[in-house]
């Protein structure tokens, strides 16, 4: 038995919960004790839902958004503007933009941004898939009617990633735009309020490297 916890099983549960981002050991203990007081069927359902999410969730073949199917609901929605692709860092950014109701095109989730200090290079992201998609769109449509919206954070790493992507796709002749700077330098889309983010999308401007 641990010197700190009255139960080894409780300690293991606390350690597991505390491994989640933003959860300290004190909060983890509170959550573990809360679960301990719940009916067993509720806890089992909770645990099963986490395991099922991990085992059955897939990434959309087209945009790399998380999905229950091979093609996500956004990519399979034929009412979306299929000539506009919004490039974002992660799934949370898609959710934030969708909340605004101001964007009706498709997405491409990079899965991160270029960050040499963290060992993340272009090959670690889904940039090659984006280039392929843009090439296919520019072949199927007049390039001037295809738009790639670079909706990445305004910090140095986000700008570096935007510049790299621009260089990879500029030869296709498509329009490349970025969010209007209603967002402050270094702001994450996840934390922007819906009105500010919505205006930044509507008033997007030509990307200037």
């Amino acid at each position: 038995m641990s010197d700190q916890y009255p139960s080894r099983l409780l300690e293991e549960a606390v350690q597991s919960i505390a491994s989640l981002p933003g959860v300290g050991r004190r909060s983890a203990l509170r959550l573990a004790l809360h679960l301990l007081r719940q009916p067993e069927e509720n806890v089992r359902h909770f645990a099963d839902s986490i395991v099922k999410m991990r085992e059955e969730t897939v990434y959309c073949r087209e945009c790399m958004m998380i999905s229950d199917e091979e093609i996500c609901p956004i990519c399979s929605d034929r009412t979306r503007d299929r000539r506009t692709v919004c490039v974002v860092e992660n799934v949370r950014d898609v959710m934030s933009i969708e909340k605004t109701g101001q964007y009706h095109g498709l997405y491409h989730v990079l899965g991160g941004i270029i960050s040499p200090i963290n060992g993340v290079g272009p090959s670690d992201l889904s940039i090659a898939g984006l280039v392929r998609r843009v090439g296919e769109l520019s072949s199927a449509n007049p390039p001037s009617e295809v738009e790639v919206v670079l909706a990445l954070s305004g910090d140095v790493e986000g700008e570096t990633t935007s510049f790299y992507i621009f260089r990879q796709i500029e030869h296709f002749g498509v329009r490349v735009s970025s969010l209007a700077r209603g967002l402050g330098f270094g702001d994450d889309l996840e934390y922007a309020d819906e009105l500010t983010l919505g205006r930044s999308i509507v008033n997007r401007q030509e990307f200037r490297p």
Side-chain angles (χ1 to χ4, degrees):
M1 185 178 294
S2 168
D3 294 335
Q4 185 175 1
Y5 296 91
S7 163
R8 176 182 55 81
L9 296 175
L10 174 62
E11 181 177 9
E12 291 178 354
V14 169
Q15 289 176 345
S16 296
I17 296 172
S19 69
L20 297 172
V23 181
R25 293 185 67 85
R26 184 172 298 179
S27 296
L29 175 59
R30 184 169 63 251
L31 291 171
L33 292 175
H34 170 76
L35 290 172
L36 195 57
R37 293 192 299 268
Q38 302 306 301
E40 182 177 343
E41 61 183 34
N42 291 4
V43 177
R44 190 175 299 281
H45 175 73
F46 173 80
D48 288 346
S49 67
I50 300 298
V51 172
K52 188 173 183 179
M53 176 191 69
R54 181 62 184 87
E55 292 179 345
E56 299 183 17
T57 297
V58 298
Y59 289 94
C60 175
R61 187 180 65 194
E62 292 295 321
C63 72
M64 299 304 293
M65 176 70 170
I66 59 172
S67 176
D68 296 337
E69 307 293 340
E70 189 176 40
I71 301 296
C72 74
I74 293 177
C75 285
S76 60
D77 184 353
R78 307 309 296 184
T79 67
R80 309 281 301 206
D81 178 3
R82 311 191 73 79
R83 294 174 298 181
T84 304
V85 179
C86 183
V87 182
V88 297
E89 178 181 347
N90 54 52
V91 170
R92 295 190 303 271
D93 293 339
V94 174
M95 297 170 67
S96 296
I97 293 174
E98 284 296 287
K99 277 185 181 179
T100 70
Q102 298 296 318
Y103 177 74
H104 307 288
L106 302 178
Y107 292 93
H108 191 88
V109 181
L110 295 177
I113 52 178
I114 297 173
S115 177
I117 195 171
N118 293 316
V120 180
S123 62
D124 298 309
L125 309 176
S126 62
I127 294 177
L130 172 64
V131 174
R132 173 188 58 78
R133 291 181 72 189
V134 174
E136 292 173 353
L137 286 173
S138 65
S139 297
N141 303 276
S144 61
E145 296 181 6
V146 177
E147 181 181 7
V148 176
V149 184
L150 299 176
L152 303 177
S153 59
D155 58 15
V156 173
E157 293 175 337
E159 292 292 337
T160 298
T161 307
S162 293
F163 178 76
Y164 181 85
I165 291 173
F166 175 78
R167 290 304 187 200
Q168 296 299 305
I169 65 175
E170 62 177 331
H171 65 280
F172 291 122
V174 301
R175 295 169 57 201
V176 182
S177 60
S178 59
L179 299 184
R181 284 305 175 205
L183 298 174
F185 182 82
D187 283 355
D188 288 329
L189 270 61
E190 178 185 0
Y191 302 113
D193 65 89
E194 293 177 20
L195 181 59
T196 299
L197 182 55
R199 286 177 175 171
S200 295
I201 294 168
V202 171
N203 298 319
R204 59 185 182 268
Q205 54 205 10
E206 180 184 356
F207 178 76
R208 299 182 185 280

PDB file of all heavy atoms in Angstrom, residues 69-95:
ATOM      1  N   GLU A  69     -16.088   7.297 -40.171  1.00  0.00           N
ATOM      2  CA  GLU A  69     -16.054   6.621 -41.468  1.00  0.00           C
ATOM      3  C   GLU A  69     -14.794   7.018 -42.227  1.00  0.00           C
ATOM      4  O   GLU A  69     -14.065   7.928 -41.827  1.00  0.00           O
ATOM      5  CB  GLU A  69     -17.298   6.990 -42.301  1.00  0.00           C
ATOM      6  CG  GLU A  69     -18.628   6.771 -41.603  1.00  0.00           C
ATOM      7  CD  GLU A  69     -18.937   5.313 -41.342  1.00  0.00           C
ATOM      8  OE1 GLU A  69     -18.332   4.456 -42.027  1.00  0.00           O
ATOM      9  OE2 GLU A  69     -19.762   5.022 -40.461  1.00  0.00           O
ATOM     10  N   GLU A  70     -14.547   6.343 -43.356  1.00  0.00           N
ATOM     11  CA  GLU A  70     -13.353   6.618 -44.151  1.00  0.00           C
ATOM     12  C   GLU A  70     -13.347   8.056 -44.678  1.00  0.00           C
ATOM     13  O   GLU A  70     -12.288   8.676 -44.792  1.00  0.00           O
ATOM     14  CB  GLU A  70     -13.283   5.633 -45.321  1.00  0.00           C
ATOM     15  CG  GLU A  70     -11.991   5.686 -46.093  1.00  0.00           C
ATOM     16  CD  GLU A  70     -11.927   4.631 -47.180  1.00  0.00           C
ATOM     17  OE1 GLU A  70     -12.956   4.397 -47.842  1.00  0.00           O
ATOM     18  OE2 GLU A  70     -10.846   4.046 -47.378  1.00  0.00           O
ATOM     19  N   ILE A  71     -14.548   8.568 -44.992  1.00  0.00           N
ATOM     20  CA  ILE A  71     -14.694   9.963 -45.429  1.00  0.00           C
ATOM     21  C   ILE A  71     -15.547  10.677 -44.394  1.00  0.00           C
ATOM     22  O   ILE A  71     -16.637  10.219 -44.056  1.00  0.00           O
ATOM     23  CB  ILE A  71     -15.366  10.056 -46.818  1.00  0.00           C
ATOM     24  CG1 ILE A  71     -14.537   9.302 -47.860  1.00  0.00           C
ATOM     25  CG2 ILE A  71     -15.522  11.518 -47.226  1.00  0.00           C
ATOM     26  CD1 ILE A  71     -13.162   9.875 -48.106  1.00  0.00           C
ATOM     27  N   CYS A  72     -15.068  11.813 -43.884  1.00  0.00           N
ATOM     28  CA  CYS A  72     -15.784  12.514 -42.813  1.00  0.00           C
ATOM     29  C   CYS A  72     -17.052  13.190 -43.345  1.00  0.00           C
ATOM     30  O   CYS A  72     -17.202  13.383 -44.548  1.00  0.00           O
ATOM     31  CB  CYS A  72     -14.860  13.554 -42.163  1.00  0.00           C
ATOM     32  SG  CYS A  72     -14.565  15.028 -43.163  1.00  0.00           S
ATOM     33  N   PRO A  73     -17.965  13.574 -42.459  1.00  0.00           N
ATOM     34  CA  PRO A  73     -19.220  14.203 -42.882  1.00  0.00           C
ATOM     35  C   PRO A  73     -19.017  15.497 -43.668  1.00  0.00           C
ATOM     36  O   PRO A  73     -19.809  15.803 -44.578  1.00  0.00           O
ATOM     37  CB  PRO A  73     -19.939  14.483 -41.553  1.00  0.00           C
ATOM     38  CG  PRO A  73     -19.391  13.454 -40.615  1.00  0.00           C
ATOM     39  CD  PRO A  73     -17.958  13.293 -41.000  1.00  0.00           C
ATOM     40  N   ILE A  74     -17.988  16.264 -43.358  1.00  0.00           N
ATOM     41  CA  ILE A  74     -17.762  17.517 -44.085  1.00  0.00           C
ATOM     42  C   ILE A  74     -17.340  17.229 -45.519  1.00  0.00           C
ATOM     43  O   ILE A  74     -17.863  17.823 -46.466  1.00  0.00           O
ATOM     44  CB  ILE A  74     -16.704  18.381 -43.362  1.00  0.00           C
ATOM     45  CG1 ILE A  74     -17.257  18.868 -42.019  1.00  0.00           C
ATOM     46  CG2 ILE A  74     -16.297  19.574 -44.233  1.00  0.00           C
ATOM     47  CD1 ILE A  74     -16.268  19.670 -41.188  1.00  0.00           C
ATOM     48  N   CYS A  75     -16.394  16.315 -45.706  1.00  0.00           N
ATOM     49  CA  CYS A  75     -15.938  15.988 -47.056  1.00  0.00           C
ATOM     50  C   CYS A  75     -17.027  15.315 -47.893  1.00  0.00           C
ATOM     51  O   CYS A  75     -17.046  15.440 -49.120  1.00  0.00           O
ATOM     52  CB  CYS A  75     -14.702  15.086 -46.995  1.00  0.00           C
ATOM     53  SG  CYS A  75     -13.189  15.949 -46.522  1.00  0.00           S
ATOM     54  N   SER A  76     -17.930  14.596 -47.240  1.00  0.00           N
ATOM     55  CA  SER A  76     -18.994  13.899 -47.977  1.00  0.00           C
ATOM     56  C   SER A  76     -20.216  14.778 -48.214  1.00  0.00           C
ATOM     57  O   SER A  76     -21.142  14.379 -48.920  1.00  0.00           O
ATOM     58  CB  SER A  76     -19.410  12.630 -47.224  1.00  0.00           C
ATOM     59  OG  SER A  76     -19.903  12.944 -45.936  1.00  0.00           O
ATOM     60  N   ASP A  77     -20.226  15.981 -47.649  1.00  0.00           N
ATOM     61  CA  ASP A  77     -21.346  16.904 -47.814  1.00  0.00           C
ATOM     62  C   ASP A  77     -21.229  17.609 -49.160  1.00  0.00           C
ATOM     63  O   ASP A  77     -20.375  18.472 -49.358  1.00  0.00           O
ATOM     64  CB  ASP A  77     -21.340  17.925 -46.670  1.00  0.00           C
ATOM     65  CG  ASP A  77     -22.536  18.865 -46.718  1.00  0.00           C
ATOM     66  OD1 ASP A  77     -23.299  18.826 -47.703  1.00  0.00           O
ATOM     67  OD2 ASP A  77     -22.685  19.654 -45.766  1.00  0.00           O
ATOM     68  N   ARG A  78     -22.101  17.265 -50.091  1.00  0.00           N
ATOM     69  CA  ARG A  78     -22.011  17.807 -51.453  1.00  0.00           C
ATOM     70  C   ARG A  78     -22.444  19.266 -51.534  1.00  0.00           C
ATOM     71  O   ARG A  78     -22.290  19.905 -52.578  1.00  0.00           O
ATOM     72  CB  ARG A  78     -22.863  16.964 -52.412  1.00  0.00           C
ATOM     73  CG  ARG A  78     -22.583  15.479 -52.382  1.00  0.00           C
ATOM     74  CD  ARG A  78     -21.116  15.142 -52.538  1.00  0.00           C
ATOM     75  NE  ARG A  78     -20.563  15.541 -53.825  1.00  0.00           N
ATOM     76  CZ  ARG A  78     -19.325  15.284 -54.228  1.00  0.00           C
ATOM     77  NH1 ARG A  78     -18.495  14.643 -53.405  1.00  0.00           N
ATOM     78  NH2 ARG A  78     -18.901  15.671 -55.404  1.00  0.00           N
ATOM     79  N   THR A  79     -22.993  19.813 -50.463  1.00  0.00           N
ATOM     80  CA  THR A  79     -23.405  21.220 -50.486  1.00  0.00           C
ATOM     81  C   THR A  79     -22.229  22.144 -50.153  1.00  0.00           C
ATOM     82  O   THR A  79     -22.341  23.363 -50.310  1.00  0.00           O
ATOM     83  CB  THR A  79     -24.546  21.490 -49.493  1.00  0.00           C
ATOM     84  OG1 THR A  79     -24.075  21.319 -48.149  1.00  0.00           O
ATOM     85  CG2 THR A  79     -25.708  20.543 -49.738  1.00  0.00           C
ATOM     86  N   ARG A  80     -21.105  21.601 -49.692  1.00  0.00           N
ATOM     87  CA  ARG A  80     -19.954  22.430 -49.355  1.00  0.00           C
ATOM     88  C   ARG A  80     -19.273  22.932 -50.632  1.00  0.00           C
ATOM     89  O   ARG A  80     -19.340  22.299 -51.686  1.00  0.00           O
ATOM     90  CB  ARG A  80     -18.933  21.644 -48.523  1.00  0.00           C
ATOM     91  CG  ARG A  80     -19.466  20.929 -47.311  1.00  0.00           C
ATOM     92  CD  ARG A  80     -19.711  21.773 -46.120  1.00  0.00           C
ATOM     93  NE  ARG A  80     -18.578  22.490 -45.572  1.00  0.00           N
ATOM     94  CZ  ARG A  80     -18.492  22.862 -44.293  1.00  0.00           C
ATOM     95  NH1 ARG A  80     -19.462  22.539 -43.432  1.00  0.00           N
ATOM     96  NH2 ARG A  80     -17.469  23.550 -43.854  1.00  0.00           N
ATOM     97  N   ASP A  81     -18.632  24.081 -50.525  1.00  0.00           N
ATOM     98  CA  ASP A  81     -17.849  24.621 -51.635  1.00  0.00           C
ATOM     99  C   ASP A  81     -16.588  23.778 -51.773  1.00  0.00           C
ATOM    100  O   ASP A  81     -15.668  23.883 -50.970  1.00  0.00           O
ATOM    101  CB  ASP A  81     -17.488  26.084 -51.344  1.00  0.00           C
ATOM    102  CG  ASP A  81     -16.631  26.696 -52.439  1.00  0.00           C
ATOM    103  OD1 ASP A  81     -16.365  26.016 -53.460  1.00  0.00           O
ATOM    104  OD2 ASP A  81     -16.208  27.859 -52.267  1.00  0.00           O
ATOM    105  N   ARG A  82     -16.533  22.972 -52.795  1.00  0.00           N
ATOM    106  CA  ARG A  82     -15.461  22.000 -52.947  1.00  0.00           C
ATOM    107  C   ARG A  82     -14.231  22.581 -53.650  1.00  0.00           C
ATOM    108  O   ARG A  82     -13.267  21.858 -53.913  1.00  0.00           O
ATOM    109  CB  ARG A  82     -15.984  20.757 -53.682  1.00  0.00           C
ATOM    110  CG  ARG A  82     -17.286  20.231 -53.090  1.00  0.00           C
ATOM    111  CD  ARG A  82     -17.646  18.878 -53.621  1.00  0.00           C
ATOM    112  NE  ARG A  82     -16.785  17.837 -53.082  1.00  0.00           N
ATOM    113  CZ  ARG A  82     -16.921  17.308 -51.863  1.00  0.00           C
ATOM    114  NH1 ARG A  82     -17.877  17.742 -51.049  1.00  0.00           N
ATOM    115  NH2 ARG A  82     -16.103  16.368 -51.452  1.00  0.00           N
ATOM    116  N   ARG A  83     -14.268  23.866 -53.938  1.00  0.00           N
ATOM    117  CA  ARG A  83     -13.109  24.518 -54.560  1.00  0.00           C
ATOM    118  C   ARG A  83     -12.336  25.360 -53.550  1.00  0.00           C
ATOM    119  O   ARG A  83     -11.370  26.032 -53.912  1.00  0.00           O
ATOM    120  CB  ARG A  83     -13.550  25.386 -55.735  1.00  0.00           C
ATOM    121  CG  ARG A  83     -14.143  24.585 -56.901  1.00  0.00           C
ATOM    122  CD  ARG A  83     -14.698  25.486 -57.964  1.00  0.00           C
ATOM    123  NE  ARG A  83     -15.799  26.304 -57.436  1.00  0.00           N
ATOM    124  CZ  ARG A  83     -16.490  27.178 -58.154  1.00  0.00           C
ATOM    125  NH1 ARG A  83     -16.202  27.370 -59.432  1.00  0.00           N
ATOM    126  NH2 ARG A  83     -17.474  27.871 -57.600  1.00  0.00           N
ATOM    127  N   THR A  84     -12.765  25.323 -52.291  1.00  0.00           N
ATOM    128  CA  THR A  84     -12.094  26.082 -51.243  1.00  0.00           C
ATOM    129  C   THR A  84     -11.643  25.127 -50.145  1.00  0.00           C
ATOM    130  O   THR A  84     -12.439  24.347 -49.634  1.00  0.00           O
ATOM    131  CB  THR A  84     -13.038  27.148 -50.645  1.00  0.00           C
ATOM    132  OG1 THR A  84     -13.524  27.986 -51.684  1.00  0.00           O
ATOM    133  CG2 THR A  84     -12.298  27.997 -49.626  1.00  0.00           C
ATOM    134  N   VAL A  85     -10.364  25.198 -49.795  1.00  0.00           N
ATOM    135  CA  VAL A  85      -9.803  24.328 -48.765  1.00  0.00           C
ATOM    136  C   VAL A  85      -9.171  25.200 -47.686  1.00  0.00           C
ATOM    137  O   VAL A  85      -8.283  26.004 -47.969  1.00  0.00           O
ATOM    138  CB  VAL A  85      -8.746  23.369 -49.346  1.00  0.00           C
ATOM    139  CG1 VAL A  85      -8.159  22.500 -48.239  1.00  0.00           C
ATOM    140  CG2 VAL A  85      -9.345  22.495 -50.437  1.00  0.00           C
ATOM    141  N   CYS A  86      -9.633  25.034 -46.467  1.00  0.00           N
ATOM    142  CA  CYS A  86      -9.105  25.775 -45.324  1.00  0.00           C
ATOM    143  C   CYS A  86      -8.087  24.898 -44.601  1.00  0.00           C
ATOM    144  O   CYS A  86      -8.422  23.814 -44.122  1.00  0.00           O
ATOM    145  CB  CYS A  86     -10.245  26.171 -44.388  1.00  0.00           C
ATOM    146  SG  CYS A  86      -9.731  27.172 -42.973  1.00  0.00           S
ATOM    147  N   VAL A  87      -6.865  25.364 -44.523  1.00  0.00           N
ATOM    148  CA  VAL A  87      -5.781  24.590 -43.913  1.00  0.00           C
ATOM    149  C   VAL A  87      -5.649  24.976 -42.443  1.00  0.00           C
ATOM    150  O   VAL A  87      -5.458  26.152 -42.122  1.00  0.00           O
ATOM    151  CB  VAL A  87      -4.449  24.848 -44.639  1.00  0.00           C
ATOM    152  CG1 VAL A  87      -3.335  23.996 -44.021  1.00  0.00           C
ATOM    153  CG2 VAL A  87      -4.585  24.546 -46.127  1.00  0.00           C
ATOM    154  N   VAL A  88      -5.770  23.993 -41.552  1.00  0.00           N
ATOM    155  CA  VAL A  88      -5.703  24.246 -40.114  1.00  0.00           C
ATOM    156  C   VAL A  88      -4.682  23.322 -39.478  1.00  0.00           C
ATOM    157  O   VAL A  88      -4.262  22.320 -40.062  1.00  0.00           O
ATOM    158  CB  VAL A  88      -7.070  24.060 -39.436  1.00  0.00           C
ATOM    159  CG1 VAL A  88      -8.085  25.060 -39.971  1.00  0.00           C
ATOM    160  CG2 VAL A  88      -7.579  22.638 -39.623  1.00  0.00           C
ATOM    161  N   GLU A  89      -4.316  23.661 -38.256  1.00  0.00           N
ATOM    162  CA  GLU A  89      -3.314  22.883 -37.533  1.00  0.00           C
ATOM    163  C   GLU A  89      -3.889  21.595 -36.980  1.00  0.00           C
ATOM    164  O   GLU A  89      -3.273  20.532 -37.085  1.00  0.00           O
ATOM    165  CB  GLU A  89      -2.730  23.716 -36.395  1.00  0.00           C
ATOM    166  CG  GLU A  89      -1.714  22.979 -35.543  1.00  0.00           C
ATOM    167  CD  GLU A  89      -1.184  23.834 -34.400  1.00  0.00           C
ATOM    168  OE1 GLU A  89      -1.407  25.055 -34.406  1.00  0.00           O
ATOM    169  OE2 GLU A  89      -0.550  23.265 -33.492  1.00  0.00           O
ATOM    170  N   ASN A  90      -5.087  21.651 -36.380  1.00  0.00           N
ATOM    171  CA  ASN A  90      -5.615  20.476 -35.700  1.00  0.00           C
ATOM    172  C   ASN A  90      -7.134  20.417 -35.759  1.00  0.00           C
ATOM    173  O   ASN A  90      -7.793  21.333 -36.281  1.00  0.00           O
ATOM    174  CB  ASN A  90      -5.134  20.433 -34.245  1.00  0.00           C
ATOM    175  CG  ASN A  90      -5.457  21.715 -33.506  1.00  0.00           C
ATOM    176  OD1 ASN A  90      -6.597  22.171 -33.508  1.00  0.00           O
ATOM    177  ND2 ASN A  90      -4.464  22.321 -32.860  1.00  0.00           N
ATOM    178  N   VAL A  91      -7.668  19.345 -35.238  1.00  0.00           N
ATOM    179  CA  VAL A  91      -9.111  19.097 -35.265  1.00  0.00           C
ATOM    180  C   VAL A  91      -9.883  20.177 -34.498  1.00  0.00           C
ATOM    181  O   VAL A  91     -10.972  20.582 -34.891  1.00  0.00           O
ATOM    182  CB  VAL A  91      -9.407  17.698 -34.682  1.00  0.00           C
ATOM    183  CG1 VAL A  91     -10.901  17.507 -34.466  1.00  0.00           C
ATOM    184  CG2 VAL A  91      -8.856  16.613 -35.593  1.00  0.00           C
ATOM    185  N   ARG A  92      -9.316  20.658 -33.396  1.00  0.00           N
ATOM    186  CA  ARG A  92      -9.984  21.690 -32.600  1.00  0.00           C
ATOM    187  C   ARG A  92     -10.223  22.951 -33.419  1.00  0.00           C
ATOM    188  O   ARG A  92     -11.232  23.642 -33.227  1.00  0.00           O
ATOM    189  CB  ARG A  92      -9.161  22.020 -31.350  1.00  0.00           C
ATOM    190  CG  ARG A  92      -9.045  20.874 -30.363  1.00  0.00           C
ATOM    191  CD  ARG A  92      -8.427  21.332 -29.051  1.00  0.00           C
ATOM    192  NE  ARG A  92      -7.122  21.939 -29.243  1.00  0.00           N
ATOM    193  CZ  ARG A  92      -5.983  21.268 -29.236  1.00  0.00           C
ATOM    194  NH1 ARG A  92      -6.001  19.953 -29.079  1.00  0.00           N
ATOM    195  NH2 ARG A  92      -4.833  21.888 -29.387  1.00  0.00           N
ATOM    196  N   ASP A  93      -9.295  23.263 -34.338  1.00  0.00           N
ATOM    197  CA  ASP A  93      -9.459  24.446 -35.181  1.00  0.00           C
ATOM    198  C   ASP A  93     -10.647  24.288 -36.131  1.00  0.00           C
ATOM    199  O   ASP A  93     -11.374  25.241 -36.395  1.00  0.00           O
ATOM    200  CB  ASP A  93      -8.184  24.715 -35.979  1.00  0.00           C
ATOM    201  CG  ASP A  93      -7.020  25.123 -35.089  1.00  0.00           C
ATOM    202  OD1 ASP A  93      -7.274  25.570 -33.954  1.00  0.00           O
ATOM    203  OD2 ASP A  93      -5.865  24.996 -35.521  1.00  0.00           O
ATOM    204  N   VAL A  94     -10.839  23.082 -36.652  1.00  0.00           N
ATOM    205  CA  VAL A  94     -12.014  22.819 -37.500  1.00  0.00           C
ATOM    206  C   VAL A  94     -13.290  23.085 -36.706  1.00  0.00           C
ATOM    207  O   VAL A  94     -14.217  23.751 -37.182  1.00  0.00           O
ATOM    208  CB  VAL A  94     -12.012  21.370 -38.021  1.00  0.00           C
ATOM    209  CG1 VAL A  94     -13.324  21.073 -38.770  1.00  0.00           C
ATOM    210  CG2 VAL A  94     -10.823  21.126 -38.935  1.00  0.00           C
ATOM    211  N   MET A  95     -13.339  22.584 -35.480  1.00  0.00           N
ATOM    212  CA  MET A  95     -14.520  22.758 -34.644  1.00  0.00           C
ATOM    213  C   MET A  95     -14.766  24.238 -34.349  1.00  0.00           C
ATOM    214  O   MET A  95     -15.915  24.705 -34.361  1.00  0.00           O
ATOM    215  CB  MET A  95     -14.350  21.960 -33.352  1.00  0.00           C
ATOM    216  CG  MET A  95     -14.239  20.462 -33.587  1.00  0.00           C
ATOM    217  SD  MET A  95     -13.750  19.512 -32.113  1.00  0.00           S
ATOM    218  CE  MET A  95     -15.195  19.741 -31.087  1.00  0.00           C
TER     219      MET A  95
END
